Amino acid sequence: MGHENSTAVREFVLLGLSHSHRVQALLFSFFLLFYVAVLPSNVLLILTVRGDSQLGSPLHFFLANLAFLDICYCSVTLPKMLADLFSSPKTVSYNACVAQLSFLHILGAAEIFLLSAMAYDRYVAICQPLRYATLVSGAVCRALLAASWGGGLVHGVVLFALTITLPFCGPNVLDNFFCDVRQLAKLACTNTRTVELLMFLNNGAVVVLCFVLLLTSYTALLLKLRARSSQAKKKITSTCISHMLVVLLTFGPAIYIYVLPFQAVPMEKVVALFHTVVFPLTNPIIYTLCNKEIRSSMGRLVHKHSVRRGLFTKYFGANK
């Protein structure tokens, strides 16, 4: 890492969510059940889109990739959090801490840019329907996806570079359940005003700008629906509202946490918990509930799997 000569800290202590064993056991049970119950729905969405030729539109392509990003995003923090609920002390090495915050921001930024690509898709579909096949072709979708990952990678690498330049000589206690750049910077034994400002520009300013642009674009799209038929208006409104809800759930906590670079944020751990664990796994559910095509295709996929399983059991059971 190249930080050995400038830092004496080799690990950090995480205070976690609670010091009560009863609360920790309750949290472990809840989030384990949540993870086990909701994670398969994201996997099912990916399998549904990939396995149904009728779901070959750019919107469904982006939804499947969003589900994949959400699975990766929450997996950066949740397994470690579950393991730490029964650990004392809750420690994480310097290298693992920096890796965690880097991957968290790479995936988080990639999701933000992917949501922007989805907004572009909806804008063209509603405002330029005759040119939709050209402006949002398969090549364009792949380019937008690559740009989302590329933008996320650049964002994460910048934070990584800023973090490894900070010297840590103690204290080493993080009042959180995962490593995040805001609190880590405050533990550095040097003046971090400049670094925090750069981190804010790389986090808060970008998040706020993307949020305003996305919210403005979806609001403008909803206003354009007044000239459409009632059936088309209903379908497009449902899609736009689901997109706006996901945008609010994704950007709201991020803005709350990162918009104030030099100030402590009340209830930061609670907001971060929903931002990194709960909301990412529920995003595909929101889209699924608002998309009749996906619901129907999922039903067919589950039914087909059930029929095949029944035939398999019947055949091999008869041969016993």
Side-chain angles (χ1 to χ4, degrees):
M1 280 283 183
H3 63 273
E4 281 79 4
N5 295 330
S6 61
T7 177
V9 172
R10 293 293 177 266
E11 66 178 16
F12 295 96
V13 177
L14 302 172
L15 294 184
L17 296 172
S18 174
H19 297 291
S20 169
H21 293 293
R22 181 177 298 179
V23 174
Q24 288 177 349
L26 182 63
L27 290 173
F28 178 85
S29 301
F30 173 77
F31 284 109
L32 180 62
L33 288 174
F34 177 80
Y35 193 56
V36 171
V38 180
L39 183 63
S41 66
N42 292 37
V43 177
L44 179 60
L45 175 59
I46 296 173
L47 295 177
T48 301
V49 173
R50 290 183 60 87
D52 193 338
S53 58
Q54 297 181 16
L55 300 179
S57 69
L59 174 62
H60 299 118
F61 171 79
F62 289 133
L63 286 179
N65 283 280
L66 178 65
F68 175 75
L69 267 174
D70 284 331
I71 292 173
C72 297
Y73 185 69
C74 71
S75 298
V76 174
T77 57
L78 184 56
K80 171 65 174 171
M81 184 193 76
L82 292 175
D84 283 345
L85 285 173
F86 294 106
S87 302
S88 183
K90 303 172 177 57
T91 60
V92 58
S93 68
Y94 175 92
N95 290 345
C97 186
V98 173
Q100 186 182 58
L101 72 87
S102 298
F103 281 114
L104 192 70
H105 283 274
I106 288 173
L107 294 168
E111 181 165 338
I112 287 175
F113 296 134
L114 184 60
L115 290 173
S116 301
M118 294 172 68
Y120 167 76
D121 168 71
R122 291 300 85 198
Y123 173 82
V124 176
I126 296 173
C127 300
Q128 301 287 336
L130 298 179
R131 302 178 60 195
Y132 181 74
T134 303
L135 296 177
V136 196
S137 62
V140 172
C141 290
R142 291 189 290 272
L144 289 174
L145 179 63
S148 299
W149 278 98
L153 183 62
V154 170
H155 172 80
V157 167
V158 170
L159 286 182
F160 172 81
L162 291 173
T163 302
I164 62 173
T165 60
L166 297 175
F168 297 96
C169 48
N172 66 335
V173 179
L174 291 168
D175 186 16
N176 213 329
F177 62 94
F178 69 104
C179 289
D180 198 14
V181 69
R182 273 177 51 90
Q183 294 187 353
L184 197 63
K186 295 184 182 301
L187 296 181
C189 47
T190 186
N191 190 327
T192 60
R193 299 285 293 186
T194 301
V195 174
E196 285 190 272
L197 180 59
L198 292 175
M199 289 178 175
F200 164 71
L201 294 175
N202 193 36
N203 279 324
V206 173
V207 169
V208 171
L209 179 61
C210 290
F211 174 71
V212 172
L213 290 176
L214 284 173
L215 204 60
T216 302
S217 65
Y218 280 120
T219 302
L221 290 179
L222 290 175
L223 293 177
K224 286 181 176 292
L225 296 180
R226 290 176 294 183
R228 299 295 183 94
S229 64
S230 58
Q231 184 176 359
K233 187 183 300 184
K234 182 179 179 180
K235 181 179 179 180
I236 297 174
T237 300
S238 176
T239 302
C240 287
I241 289 177
S242 65
H243 283 225
M244 291 179 69
L245 181 58
V246 170
V247 167
L248 290 172
L249 293 179
T250 301
F251 284 85
I255 292 173
Y256 182 80
I257 294 173
Y258 297 112
V259 78
L260 299 175
F262 309 116
Q263 300 182 25
V265 179
M267 299 183 66
E268 180 175 351
K269 284 193 287 188
V270 176
V271 176
L273 182 64
F274 280 91
H275 181 54
T276 59
V277 176
V278 178
F279 292 155
L281 286 177
T282 56
N283 284 346
I285 295 178
I286 295 172
Y287 284 120
T288 301
L289 292 176
C290 296
N291 193 305
K292 185 178 179 180
E293 295 175 335
I294 294 180
R295 292 199 308 270
S296 301
S297 184
M298 278 186 174
R300 291 193 298 270
L301 180 64
V302 172
H303 177 71
K304 183 186 300 184
H305 177 74
S306 300
V307 170
R308 287 179 177 176
R309 184 176 180 181
L311 292 174
F312 179 86
T313 304
K314 181 179 179 180
Y315 175 79
F316 285 97
N319 289 338
K320 288 184 179 179

